[in-house]
Amino acid sequence: MKVVESVKKSAVLAAAVVSLLICLGCSSRMQTPTLKDAGDLDNGVDLFMNSVDGERVLGGRGSSLACISKDGRFLTMDSGDGADRLLNLSSGWSMDFRPSGDPMAFSPDSTTLAVARSHEIDFYDLESGKPKGSVDTNAPGPCLEYSADGSKLILYHLKGLQVIDRETGKEVFNYDTGAMMGDFFILPDGEHLVVQLFEFGIGADDFVRIKNITNGHIEGEFHDEGHRSNVMVSPDGRYIAYEGGSDFLPGLMQEQLLVILDGTDCRKMYSWKKDNRIDAMAFSGDSELLAISNRLANTIEIYNLNNGSISQRIKVNNRVKTIALSSDSRFLAVASCKPNYDDDQGGISIYDLTQKRMVYSKLTFARVDRCEFLPNGKALITSGEGGVKYIPLAEFRK
């Protein structure tokens, strides 16, 4: 009996070793990462960040912001050291995914992180960081998004989109655009896509298209003869902001077109001609306001989309790189650089639109490429050459 028991124990031990080796040989995607207790930002605990002049450093030089969850409690970023990092801004822990560069997306209910690997998409629970399943799919492109209801995932590739079922991984819809694709947006109804497309050659147009992913029908389209365009969709899907123009004659005065389109059929609602390039656009969280920056006039204009009027103009001294509006429409953030296009000197400013005054300003000696308010209104996140920073807003709300 002792021999039999010994053999059984050896077999069990061998099986365990084999299982462990198999797990180690698999992709690291489904390993439960070691969580790093990093304090609580909400309560002012600052264990894994350095605080400098009111900023909290989430990631140093080389790091960059990737995406923020809908509830504002989580964000992902490229850490700059070969890993993608998930941060829980409420409980304070972080976890790393290696190698970096895999597309990621938060579920609309902020409970799950999806990570697109070579031929599959893996899911992680945001509270615990533990794996919660995966689905097989074709090789994904460089971008991954959830539909608004969380039932579908949209994978982007150079000339098209693939929509798959979240639970089964089966393809629901495949859209070959036939042209170079720029930005795309999933409307809140979960059934429509807004796609920005580019054509090439003499007489070629840029255009915006609304596509129904349930039947493949084109339900709206807007054409422009310009050769450069920016497109943005309001959070509620009611408006599409389109800015177009030509970059073929850089440095010259060129007329630009800013158009507000209806989010259901691309019907033109408002249209304005501008004297020079629009550097940045941003919708407010309630979709009532649109902010744009005008390079020539060094101004930021705030449009009321209920009537198409300009509600505020804000003069800025530097060239605007990017702007953001808070979810409650109270704050405007501006990242800028010197007018001589020297990205190494600029600043971050925050304006209180209700009090019509600047409440925060800081000179930066590193390029800032992106700024975004947390949806819960607690902070402004900035990202650029100097890393990823967290600027609390509590003091400005007093």
Side-chain angles (χ1 to χ4, degrees), residues 72-361:
R73 295 191 304 125
F74 303 91
L75 66 78
T76 59
M77 66 179 183
D78 183 338
S79 65
D81 60 1
D84 288 321
R85 182 162 298 150
L86 170 67
L87 295 180
N88 184 323
L89 299 177
S90 294
S91 65
W93 58 254
S94 67
M95 56 186 278
D96 288 351
F97 298 84
R98 296 180 185 274
S100 63
D102 289 320
M104 294 182 171
F106 290 107
S107 62
D109 61 4
S110 301
T111 63
T112 305
L113 176 69
V115 182
R117 303 295 186 180
S118 176
H119 289 277
E120 60 209 354
I121 299 175
D122 304 316
F123 303 99
Y124 293 86
D125 180 80
L126 287 176
E127 293 299 333
S128 66
K130 295 180 179 179
K132 54 186 298 188
S134 63
V135 295
D136 294 330
T137 184
N138 295 330
C143 190
L144 172 70
E145 292 284 350
Y146 268 92
S147 64
D149 63 1
S151 66
K152 303 178 186 69
L153 289 162
I154 293 87
L155 301 167
Y156 162 93
H157 51 87
L158 192 60
K159 288 191 175 182
L161 296 166
Q162 181 191 25
V163 182
I164 65 171
D165 184 271
R166 156 65 179 88
E167 297 299 326
T168 66
K170 292 183 178 179
E171 182 176 282
V172 176
F173 179 73
N174 196 312
Y175 178 33
D176 186 353
T177 64
M180 188 69 70
M181 190 170 69
D183 290 327
F184 75 91
F185 307 86
I186 305 104
L187 294 183
D189 63 7
E191 296 182 354
H192 294 85
L193 298 170
V194 174
V195 184
Q196 175 190 18
L197 300 170
F198 304 97
E199 293 179 341
F200 296 95
I202 298 175
D205 293 345
D206 291 351
F207 52 99
V208 179
R209 179 177 293 167
I210 298 177
K211 188 86 168 179
N212 189 313
I213 64 174
T214 61
N215 55 31
H217 293 167
I218 297 174
E219 299 192 354
E221 196 165 86
F222 172 78
H223 286 255
D224 179 43
E225 295 180 355
H227 300 286
R228 179 190 57 79
S229 62
N230 293 315
V231 175
M232 182 172 288
V233 176
S234 65
D236 63 5
R238 282 188 296 159
Y239 305 109
I240 303 170
Y242 174 93
E243 179 262 322
S246 174
D247 269 349
F248 285 170
L249 299 173
L252 298 182
M253 296 276 291
Q254 299 173 58
E255 188 176 84
Q256 303 293 298
L257 182 67
L258 174 63
V259 181
I260 304 299
L261 306 172
D262 189 295
T264 60
D265 56 9
C266 279
R267 173 177 52 86
K268 187 185 294 186
M269 300 178 67
Y270 307 114
S271 179
W272 301 274
K273 290 183 179 180
K274 299 295 178 182
D275 292 333
N276 204 259
R277 180 172 178 172
I278 296 171
D279 283 319
M281 301 189 293
F283 279 103
S284 60
D286 59 8
S287 302
E288 300 293 319
L289 302 177
L290 174 69
I292 69 163
S293 65
N294 189 303
R295 177 180 296 182
L296 182 65
N298 285 337
T299 60
I300 296 173
E301 298 172 337
I302 312 293
Y303 286 85
N304 184 327
L305 296 179
N306 290 316
N307 54 30
S309 66
I310 297 178
S311 60
Q312 287 192 52
R313 282 189 175 93
I314 298 172
K315 189 74 174 178
V316 292
N317 295 322
N318 296 333
R319 183 170 78 94
V320 173
K321 294 282 289 181
T322 184
I323 58 179
L325 282 166
S326 62
S327 57
D328 60 2
S329 304
R330 178 173 175 178
F331 296 109
L332 169 73
V334 180
S336 59
C337 63
K338 291 294 185 182
N340 62 1
Y341 292 49
D342 180 5
D343 284 345
D344 293 332
Q345 281 200 0
I348 295 290
S349 301
I350 300 176
Y351 297 85
D352 187 325
L353 298 180
T354 59
Q355 300 182 14
K356 297 185 178 181
R357 67 185 183 92
M358 185 168 61
V359 294
Y360 178 88
S361 181

